Amino acid sequence: MNLSPLPLAVFVVDAAGTITSWNRACEKLAGYGAADIRHCSLDQIIAFDEPATVTWIGERVNEDSTGELICADGHRVPVRVTVAPQSLDPDQPGGFSVIVVPRAGLAPTRYALIQDLPIADIIEELPCVFYVIDQSGHLLLWNHQLEDALEMASEELPTFNVKNFFDERDQAMIVEKILAAFEGGGSYHEADLVGKHGKRTTFLFHCSRASLGNLPVVFGTGLDITSRKEAERGLRVRERAMYASVNAIVITCCADGADNVIEYVNPAFEQITGYTLAEVKGRNPRFMRVEDCDVHEQRRIHDAVASRQSVRAVLRNRRKNGEIFWNDLRVDPVASIEGEVSHFVGVINDITEARHYERRLQHLAHHDALTGLANRTLLLERLKAAIDAASCHRRQGALAFLDLDNFKHINDTFGHEAGDAVLREIADRLRDSMREEDTVARLGGDEFVLVIAEQADVTQLACLVERVRQSLSAPVVVDGKEILPGTSIGVSLFPQDGRTVDDVMRAADAAMYHAKTLGRNNVQFYSEALNQVVHQHLLLEASLSRAIRNRELVLGYQPKVDLRTGKVVGAEALVRWQHPVDGIIAPDVFIPVAEQTGLIIPLGDWVIDEACATLQTLAAVGIEDFVIAVNLSARQLRQRRFVNRLADTLARHGVPAHRLELEVTESQLMDHPEEALDALAQLKLLGVRLSIDDFGTGYSSLSHLQKFPVDCIKIDRSFLGGGTDPDDGHEVITRAIIALGHNLKLQVIAEGVETIEQLTFLRDHDCDQMQGYYFSPALAQEGLQEMLRRDARLPM
């Protein structure tokens, strides 16, 4: 071992700077004997570079000073001097330790005090940190392990107080432990040494009091326990994780020929099972299993444990209170250091709620939430199976589509809660009417479907469906009120009407549509003739959409005549379809299709736009006191932004609002009276005229009629009669309507006037206006403009 011969000198001085004790290294370094040094002043031994700045030794505490050591033979050694309180205890002031470190190539070493002793080799080879500390808290002796831990060179260490080798929060404890060693003879503590570059190493320190000559010191060792502390922390984390785990954990022992009994369970196990550790310790976990359940899974667990292997299983166990719960169990073997399996760890995840939720999801995925009936997904599965079975066994099945006839009216009149109650009652009636092997489904809204398996006799099938219809037509009582649902049913047979799900459903849907067109609340079976009707309907729908885009629609204007003056005062716009192949198509053919498909919205917008354009043209030639009436559909009336779009159209054409009249039927108003009242009020604020068309064919009451902000009513042509019989019931109704209208300050218009008798009757009873073939059919815009230019009038 290559050790430097230079010692590390330590003097002890009192507050006046008088030397009271020293070590052998002082004698050797300076060449003085004991008699030469005793009672000398520190200034006699050391020539400080800045003597004038310090008046007493305490001012040099914890500061490095430089100077020269004045040796006995007169030569001088450059040194660095560190002064520290001799005691680490601030409550026990006393002398000061003066550590003298040679400079300029005369570096101190870790073995300065014992350089000539063979024990230096032993200290260097110790498997731990070794150190000697004086009462000032500075190092006098150390080995290379300390240098490595602190990432410092030998010459740096003596200048530091040892407490500074530790984290700031640990320094008070370090000082306390060193003082305890000086006072009590020894101490133990654990702490991290913090290296110069941030390296942290955990040591277990053992300090013991001793003396070097007459200098009190503390000898100590530090055992590196970093790995052990990390292992302990890991164990504590795992222990806390196991304790805090939401999953139940059970540890069992594993010994040849012995039962795998429980040694430990965590709180989650106690909470999930209801058993405490004291109740289960020493028992085999099998005591919780449910007999005759999950036998295959239990066998898998048994075989895995026997072969010391991991296993995962899903099975049922029984809680302490007898309740059965589902658990997802994972069992893993735990090996000892020697590699032998000594324990098994089981992790139990209580999946009872998840199992129930899974079953609920499975049910929801195949059933309607409101009624509990099969939904579309399950219906398609069942229908395909029924079609396949019918084809294989050469038997016949049926599919019935049911649609409630007035469900929207039920919702609007009685509220959505009542509507839901009706749907649930319908579902119950359907279930009661069908067999166990049949399927009852709800597609959504008010659409229901029946899959009727193996019905060989069509007559019996027809009777069954009719009984269903009658059952569904019976009143439903909700909150004491009777609601009449009614239903239209379309039936297709398989495999006759189709061999695929799509074909069979399409046929039943077509049959149901046909049932609705025939007046609703009836049953219709699918047929080829019916298929043609539906096919034509679909073609008409497609053609109508194209016709709107290609402007194949034209407007005719039937004049309205003032019966007192004979003057033409207005006209009703009547739309016609000029089909490029089929010619003129009447509105009663395509308007219902437009209503059903929603095409009535763009169609209605086009009619209003054309009528406004005509009014603009008439105004340009001086015809301004003229009103054009346009029929308004229920869909248009219910649109939120209809009034805004109408205002934009009037403004674009520069047409005053009062020159446009909108006609709505009585049935439209009474279908949703409150909603209609709001819509009419907005239109009235815009300034357009409002008229009730087909008056007398609906069910309006006088109270409702008084509320609607209309300007006139139109007598339906069905009430005009022939005009020759004074006792004709139609004439009685017509007179009553005229009288009613006038009493309500409304204009009364008769439509469909075709004979002189009808005209005379209307004049005699003071009707305001008329329109009909007697005066003129509908005219093109040019014909209307010519009629107005020449002021054509009804003869008086």
Side-chain angles (χ1 to χ4, degrees):
M1 179 178 294
N2 182 20
L3 297 176
S4 168
L6 293 176
L8 185 64
V10 179
F11 296 94
V12 177
V13 301
D14 60 17
T18 303
I19 296 173
T20 59
S21 64
W22 58 91
N23 63 359
R24 289 177 54 198
C26 293
E27 298 176 3
K28 190 167 186 179
L29 179 63
Y32 292 105
D36 300 321
I37 297 176
R38 184 175 288 113
H39 303 307
C40 285
S41 170
L42 185 63
D43 291 338
Q44 295 176 269
I45 302 297
I46 299 174
F48 289 98
D49 292 340
E50 299 178 359
T53 61
V54 178
T55 58
W56 72 291
I57 192 65
E59 293 183 10
R60 297 187 183 273
V61 170
N62 295 328
E63 292 185 3
D64 287 343
S65 303
T66 57
E68 292 179 331
L69 179 66
I70 304 172
C71 299
D73 58 4
H75 79 278
R76 298 192 175 198
V77 176
V79 294
R80 183 173 68 247
V81 181
T82 300
V83 179
Q86 190 178 12
S87 174
L88 288 172
D89 188 352
D91 295 329
Q92 296 182 5
F96 299 88
S97 292
V98 180
I99 302 170
V100 180
V101 181
R103 294 183 292 146
L106 303 175
T109 70
R110 61 179 78 104
Y111 300 121
L113 293 177
I114 55 173
Q115 55 184 339
D116 299 328
L117 301 178
I119 196 172
D121 295 333
I122 298 173
I123 293 174
E124 185 67 15
E125 297 301 323
L126 287 175
C128 61
V129 164
F130 179 82
Y131 53 88
V132 177
I133 307 172
D134 70 1
Q135 285 183 298
S136 70
H138 288 74
L139 287 168
L140 301 179
L141 181 66
W142 63 93
N143 61 0
H144 79 279
Q145 285 91 335
L146 183 62
E147 294 177 2
D148 294 342
L150 293 173
E151 301 176 300
M152 291 184 181
S154 291
E155 59 271 19
E156 297 178 85
L157 294 182
T159 64
F160 284 88
N161 190 298
V162 292
K163 70 178 181 180
N164 294 317
F165 298 150
F166 298 88
D167 196 287
E168 187 175 347
R169 65 175 180 269
D170 294 332
Q171 289 178 4
M173 181 268 292
I174 298 299
V175 171
E176 181 182 339
K177 293 295 183 181
I178 295 174
L179 289 175
F182 273 111
E183 296 170 3
S187 66
Y188 292 88
H189 64 277
E190 291 181 8
D192 288 352
L193 282 178
V194 182
K196 182 178 180 179
H197 302 298
K199 173 184 174 184
R200 302 181 75 95
T201 312
T202 305
F203 287 92
L204 172 60
F205 293 102
H206 181 198
C207 300
S208 295
R209 185 182 60 197
S211 297
L212 289 177
N214 59 354
L215 184 68
V217 295
V218 164
F219 283 83
T221 58
L223 183 64
D224 185 349
I225 58 171
T226 304
S227 298
R228 192 193 81 188
K229 296 297 287 186
E230 289 177 354
E232 288 177 357
R233 281 194 291 268
L235 285 173
R236 284 196 296 271
V237 169
R238 287 190 287 273
E239 183 179 353
R240 287 196 299 269
M242 192 181 304
Y243 187 86
S245 172
V246 296
N247 293 330
I249 297 175
V250 55
I251 300 176
T252 65
C253 67
C254 175
D256 292 332
D259 205 8
N260 292 307
V261 298
I262 296 172
E263 288 189 357
Y264 169 82
V265 296
N266 69 343
F269 177 94
E270 297 178 329
Q271 184 177 2
I272 290 172
T273 67
Y275 291 103
T276 64
L277 173 59
E279 291 174 311
V280 300
K281 192 171 184 178
R283 302 179 69 179
N284 191 293
R286 287 196 302 269
F287 80 91
M288 293 187 297
R289 73 182 179 186
V290 181
E291 296 298 332
D292 300 324
C293 277
D294 312 311
V295 175
H296 175 69
E297 295 292 87
Q298 292 174 3
R299 172 53 58 184
R300 288 180 57 240
I301 296 171
H302 176 272
D303 293 344
V305 170
S307 57
R308 309 294 195 262
Q309 293 180 344
S310 298
V311 63
R312 183 173 183 176
V314 176
L315 71 163
R316 281 162 286 190
N317 280 338
R318 195 181 300 278
R319 307 186 206 270
K320 183 178 179 180
N321 62 7
E323 179 184 331
I324 294 175
F325 69 100
W326 282 93
N327 65 88
D328 183 352
L329 172 65
R330 170 76 189 217
V331 179
D332 290 294
V334 179
S336 63
I337 297 177
E338 294 77 19
E340 296 292 328
V341 174
S342 61
H343 293 81
F344 282 97
V345 175
V347 180
I348 299 172
N349 182 17
D350 185 350
I351 59 171
T352 306
E353 191 60 33
R355 274 283 171 143
H356 293 165
Y357 182 64
E358 182 182 337
R359 289 179 178 175
R360 289 196 296 272
L361 284 180
Q362 183 74 9
H363 185 271
L364 289 174
H366 291 87
H367 292 82
D368 172 56
L370 177 65
T371 63
L373 298 178
N375 63 6
R376 180 181 290 274
T377 302
L378 185 55
L379 167 68
L380 296 179
E381 292 178 8
R382 298 272 181 86
L383 179 57
K384 185 179 185 306
I387 293 172
D388 292 343
S391 299
C392 290
H393 302 137
R394 296 184 179 180
R395 295 176 182 173
Q396 178 177 265
L399 180 71
F401 269 27
L402 299 84
D403 190 271
L404 300 186
D405 291 331
N406 57 346
F407 185 66
K408 189 174 187 311
H409 174 72
I410 293 172
N411 267 340
D412 293 341
T413 304
F414 299 97
H416 288 280
E417 290 186 4
D420 289 347
V422 169
L423 292 176
R424 287 191 289 267
E425 176 62 23
I426 294 295
D428 291 340
R429 293 180 186 181
L430 289 174
R431 269 190 289 257
D432 293 341
S433 301
M434 306 307 294
R435 302 168 302 176
E436 188 69 28
E437 59 268 30
D438 297 329
T439 298
V440 182
R442 178 181 177 230
L443 295 186
D446 58 344
E447 295 182 310
F448 295 86
V449 180
L450 306 177
V451 179
I452 305 169
E454 298 186 7
Q455 275 286 346
D457 192 325
V458 177
T459 303
Q460 290 182 0
L461 174 63
C463 291
L464 170 63
V465 177
E466 177 59 24
R467 285 199 304 272
V468 169
R469 187 196 66 78
Q470 292 178 8
S471 171
L472 301 190
S473 298
V476 177
V477 179
V478 179
D479 295 333
K481 300 174 183 176
E482 282 195 354
I483 300 175
L484 294 174
T487 182
S488 298
I489 304 177
V491 183
S492 64
L493 305 177
F494 52 82
Q496 294 93 314
D497 296 330
R499 293 182 175 272
T500 67
V501 169
D502 287 343
D503 289 343
V504 174
M505 291 186 71
R506 193 179 299 114
D509 191 37
M512 184 188 70
Y513 170 77
H514 186 53
K516 283 190 172 293
T517 60
L518 293 179
R520 305 188 176 192
N521 199 26
N522 69 94
V523 178
Q524 292 295 317
F525 278 72
Y526 180 78
S527 66
E528 280 301 321
L530 176 61
N531 187 41
Q532 289 300 318
V533 171
V534 173
H535 182 64
Q536 290 299 322
H537 173 85
L538 295 175
L539 286 178
L540 184 64
E541 179 184 334
S543 299
L544 180 58
S545 179
R546 186 201 66 239
I548 295 172
R549 293 195 307 270
N550 296 345
R551 302 184 69 84
E552 296 174 10
L553 302 171
V554 294
L555 280 187
Y557 299 92
Q558 186 169 53
K560 292 182 179 180
V561 181
D562 188 309
L563 288 177
R564 296 181 182 84
T565 64
K567 180 179 174 62
V568 177
V569 294
E572 179 180 0
L574 301 173
V575 64
R576 300 289 185 269
W577 182 0
Q578 202 162 32
H579 196 281
V581 177
D582 300 331
I584 296 296
I585 299 178
D588 59 351
V589 174
F590 66 86
I591 291 298
V593 175
E595 288 277 8
Q596 294 162 10
T597 59
L599 290 173
I600 195 67
I601 300 300
L603 175 58
D605 288 346
W606 177 83
V607 170
I608 291 175
D609 192 75
E610 284 292 305
C612 288
T614 298
L615 287 170
Q616 183 182 27
T617 301
L618 293 177
V621 296
I623 305 171
E624 296 183 347
D625 189 17
F626 192 80
V627 177
I628 292 181
V630 173
N631 289 289
L632 196 64
S633 75
R635 280 180 179 251
Q636 287 175 286
L637 193 63
R638 287 197 297 266
Q639 278 193 298
R640 288 184 180 180
R641 296 189 54 80
F642 174 70
V643 176
N644 302 87
R645 293 208 315 276
L646 178 60
D648 291 341
T649 302
L650 290 169
R652 189 172 66 253
H653 291 288
V655 174
H658 68 271
R659 295 186 61 196
L660 181 68
E661 182 176 301
L662 299 179
E663 295 185 1
V664 292
T665 64
E666 188 178 11
S667 58
Q668 284 177 240
L669 297 179
M670 297 314 301
D671 193 17
H672 309 287
E674 298 303 325
E675 184 179 328
L677 181 60
D678 291 341
L680 293 181
Q682 293 181 46
L683 290 171
K684 198 62 184 173
L685 283 175
L686 184 61
V688 298
R689 290 174 55 84
L690 298 173
S691 173
I692 300 179
D693 196 11
D694 300 336
F695 188 80
T697 60
Y699 303 96
S700 62
S701 65
L702 184 58
S703 61
H704 277 115
L705 191 59
Q706 287 177 306
K707 292 178 183 178
F708 294 135
V710 296
D711 300 285
C712 56
I713 55 176
K714 295 184 73 173
I715 304 173
D716 187 76
R717 67 183 66 226
S718 62
F719 296 121
L720 294 183
T724 58
D725 185 359
D727 297 324
D728 189 345
H730 292 95
E731 293 185 359
V732 173
I733 295 174
T734 302
R735 288 196 301 270
I737 292 174
I738 294 172
L740 175 63
H742 287 164
N743 285 331
L744 293 174
K745 303 297 188 293
L746 302 175
Q747 277 192 326
V748 181
I749 304 170
E751 60 181 349
V753 179
E754 298 179 354
T755 65
I756 184 62
E757 290 81 11
Q758 292 172 334
L759 177 62
T760 302
F761 176 83
L762 293 170
R763 276 179 169 163
D764 291 345
H765 292 87
D766 205 21
C767 185
D768 298 301
Q769 295 178 15
M770 63 79 70
Q771 68 182 83
Y773 275 86
Y774 180 79
F775 178 74
S776 172
L779 304 171
Q781 177 186 316
E782 296 78 8
L784 176 66
Q785 186 172 332
E786 173 60 23
M787 175 183 284
L788 295 174
R789 186 193 63 77
R790 57 186 173 83
D791 195 21
R793 298 192 176 220
L794 182 68
M796 299 304 292

